[in-house]
Amino acid sequence: MKTADTKDKHLLWVAAEDMGYGHLRAAHPFEAFAKDGILYIGGGHCASPGIRKQWTRAQRLYEFISRNKNVPLIGQTLFRLMNRLLEIPPYYPVRDLSSPTMQVSILERYLKAGLYRGLISKISSENLPLLTTFYAPAIAAEREGIRNIFCVITDTDANRVWVPRDPGKSRIRYLAPSTIARGRLLQYGVREKNIFLTGFPFSDTLIGGSDSRVLKETLARRLRRLDPNGAFGRHFAESVKHELGIDYRALRQKRPLTITFAVGGAGAQKETASKILAGLGPMLVENEAALNLVAGTRREVRDYFTAIVNERRAENVNIIYAETKDEYFEQFDRTILGTDILWTKPSELSFYAALGLPVIMSPTIGSQEEANRRWLHDDIGAGIAERRPEYCAQWIRDYLAAGRFAEAAWLGYLKIGKCTARDIVRLIYEMSGK
């Protein structure tokens, strides 16, 4: 039986939709295992010119609606319509939700019209497993007789459209990042043998080797900064030492508390950064804190961040920006290694709490993020609701003193599954009989 190794460069076909950051972020750790690199479908090189134009228009509309959801009348109405298409039904009561929905029928019409024809043609050239981080190419590939299809769920819960019309007959194998996602797939009629609870895929940069040494050492240093008064350690220090093999209380404090504020792919909520700068000012000036502002690949967001930092003459502030998404994901992971608190809306970044990162949750945008928020806050305890950003130094100091951030970090580490791309590739090869 063949197992995955980073020396093997052509182990999988890996496909991802260029829709925001979520689906691409989940695919990026697999690049070392991807034949011909990540296949960016929809707007990428596997699509016809006509499909690319349609996809670009759809993506621009999605980003416009996300950025303007709070604009009275037009913005709010458009957002309600879009959110209705993406809406996830209540999880309870547990029930049979396998009947196909309108979204399933819409997708089928696009597939019959030739959506993903270019992708299917390409992956048919060599018999390799297909890994996709978006539902549509997985369903399209199965319709064309492709075997060994694996689909990564990129949120804690999912809409019915992720599953084919007749899920009981489908051979698609789903990689679920949470028990909620696993249970939802069962409600949609996916056979239990086709669901694998893997956690969200991370790069080796964040986890380290098989002993997770990088993850454990990074978390220990983080807990030292998140528990300045020892409030968390009085109850949990021995448990941490037993789990990590490190007494974090004995570590030296070498740098200020570092907060990373990240906006999504549409650039929504960038204005919150101005309030954070105002509120965090005293901690920045006193070198008590440092701030990373993540603009991703959005030049207009980078320029906005640069303007407000220059206007305030803010100290200890770093702007994270890259020209390409691949460069951004690599830069973001390096930034996370030096981050103590992640401040973001509950997107796919909610899963980064698995690394022992407390998450300050900005207001949600859409049904998927609302599901992520409930999971992160109510089920895990690693998410902390954003309070008034303009006074953040006050409540951040209070949470530090009480050990609340350290507690959130520890709960995320303990309760959320984590794996590397290498782990998932090994599983795929075992399931594919390679």
Side-chain angles (χ1 to χ4, degrees):
M1 180 180 295
K2 185 176 180 180
T3 57
D5 191 288
T6 52
K7 294 179 181 179
D8 297 320
K9 297 298 184 182
H10 301 151
L11 294 175
L12 307 171
W13 294 114
V14 181
E17 282 284 8
D18 192 355
M19 179 189 291
Y21 295 140
H23 304 294
L24 298 182
R25 194 187 303 275
H28 180 73
F30 295 96
E31 188 161 18
F33 303 98
K35 179 174 175 59
D36 295 345
I38 308 261
L39 305 176
Y40 296 112
I41 43 187
H45 56 268
C46 283
S48 67
I51 291 294
R52 282 199 294 269
K53 288 181 181 179
Q54 291 181 30
W55 190 258
T56 299
R57 288 196 295 268
Q59 187 175 32
R60 287 175 179 171
L61 178 61
Y62 170 79
E63 292 176 352
F64 173 81
I65 294 173
S66 297
R67 288 194 300 268
N68 296 281
K69 62 165 290 194
N70 293 321
V71 174
L73 296 179
I74 295 178
Q76 294 171 351
T77 300
L78 287 173
F79 180 78
R80 280 196 298 269
L81 291 172
M82 181 184 74
N83 197 44
R84 185 172 297 177
L85 283 173
L86 303 174
E87 187 176 8
I88 300 171
Y91 188 84
Y92 297 106
V94 175
R95 61 216 185 273
D96 183 350
L97 295 173
S98 59
S99 296
T101 60
M102 176 183 67
Q103 293 91 325
V104 173
S105 298
I106 292 173
L107 174 61
E108 287 178 337
R109 286 200 296 271
Y110 276 105
L111 296 181
K112 289 178 181 177
L115 184 64
Y116 303 123
R117 187 174 294 146
L119 173 69
I120 300 302
S121 175
K122 183 170 185 64
I123 66 177
S124 297
S125 65
E126 188 166 344
N127 183 23
L128 292 173
L130 169 65
L131 174 74
T132 174
T133 58
F134 193 61
Y135 57 87
I139 295 171
E142 184 171 55
R143 287 169 59 94
E144 297 299 325
I146 303 294
R147 304 182 66 87
N148 293 323
I149 304 166
F150 296 82
C151 183
V152 178
I153 306 293
T154 54
D155 285 291
T156 60
D157 206 337
N159 185 283
R160 173 62 177 82
V161 75
W162 280 78
V163 174
R165 176 173 290 274
D166 192 347
K169 296 181 179 178
S170 175
R171 297 187 306 272
I172 298 172
R173 296 178 177 117
Y174 289 91
L175 309 178
S178 69
T179 55
I180 292 289
R182 179 184 181 277
R184 181 67 78 181
L185 291 170
L186 291 172
Q187 290 185 29
Y188 290 156
V190 178
R191 290 177 292 177
E192 187 172 4
K193 70 176 185 178
N194 286 341
I195 307 172
F196 301 87
L197 186 61
T198 59
F200 190 83
F202 293 107
S203 67
D204 282 338
T205 300
L206 295 172
I207 303 294
S210 58
D211 60 357
S212 302
R213 202 67 222 158
V214 171
L215 172 60
K216 292 178 179 179
E217 291 177 356
T218 302
L219 176 55
R221 291 193 295 269
R222 182 180 300 128
L223 288 173
R224 176 66 181 86
R225 287 181 288 275
L226 294 176
D227 191 30
N229 295 353
F232 169 79
R234 281 192 290 273
H235 302 286
F236 299 105
E238 291 304 316
S239 297
V240 173
K241 184 178 179 180
H242 176 76
E243 175 69 23
L244 303 183
I246 303 171
D247 186 353
Y248 77 89
R249 296 167 298 180
L251 299 177
R252 294 183 60 187
Q253 182 81 300
K254 295 183 179 181
R255 62 168 176 78
L257 179 83
T258 301
I259 300 169
T260 295
F261 174 71
V263 299
Q269 301 181 344
K270 71 179 187 296
E271 293 81 6
T272 301
S274 180
K275 298 178 181 178
I276 294 173
L277 275 176
L280 205 60
M283 296 180 72
L284 297 174
V285 170
E286 295 167 17
N287 201 35
E288 185 181 350
L291 177 64
N292 296 315
L293 296 176
V294 180
T297 58
R298 308 289 301 208
R299 289 189 181 186
E300 69 276 17
V301 177
R302 178 201 62 184
D303 294 344
Y304 174 79
F305 286 167
T306 301
I308 61 174
V309 169
N310 291 340
E311 179 183 348
R312 292 186 176 278
R313 298 180 180 177
E315 303 175 17
N316 286 333
V317 180
N318 184 37
I319 296 173
I320 309 300
Y321 169 79
E323 290 290 337
T324 70
K325 291 187 173 72
D326 284 340
E327 291 172 353
Y328 158 61
F329 293 138
E330 293 174 5
Q331 192 174 355
F332 182 82
D333 281 356
R334 290 194 297 270
T335 300
I336 285 298
L337 287 174
T339 293
D340 300 311
I341 298 171
L342 177 60
W343 190 331
T344 186
K345 61 189 181 70
S347 61
E348 80 288 347
L349 290 178
S350 300
F351 293 114
Y352 277 64
L355 305 174
L357 269 171
V359 179
I360 298 176
M361 301 179 299
S362 297
T364 60
I365 299 178
S367 180
Q368 291 171 317
E369 291 185 6
E370 182 58 30
N372 293 342
R373 185 204 65 79
R374 286 193 300 269
W375 174 80
L376 192 58
H377 182 272
D378 300 347
D379 298 351
I380 304 299
I384 298 172
E386 171 187 295
R387 305 189 76 164
R388 295 182 65 176
E390 60 268 35
Y391 302 117
C392 62
Q394 297 178 22
W395 49 266
I396 285 174
R397 282 169 169 160
D398 286 345
Y399 286 164
L400 288 169
R404 178 65 185 96
F405 283 125
E407 178 189 25
W410 190 234
L411 287 172
Y413 173 80
L414 289 179
K415 297 176 72 174
I416 305 176
K418 45 199 147 282
C419 64
T420 65
R422 183 194 305 270
D423 298 325
I424 289 180
V425 172
R426 185 175 295 114
L427 172 65
I428 288 173
Y429 263 65
E430 289 173 356
M431 294 298 101
S432 302
K434 297 290 185 178

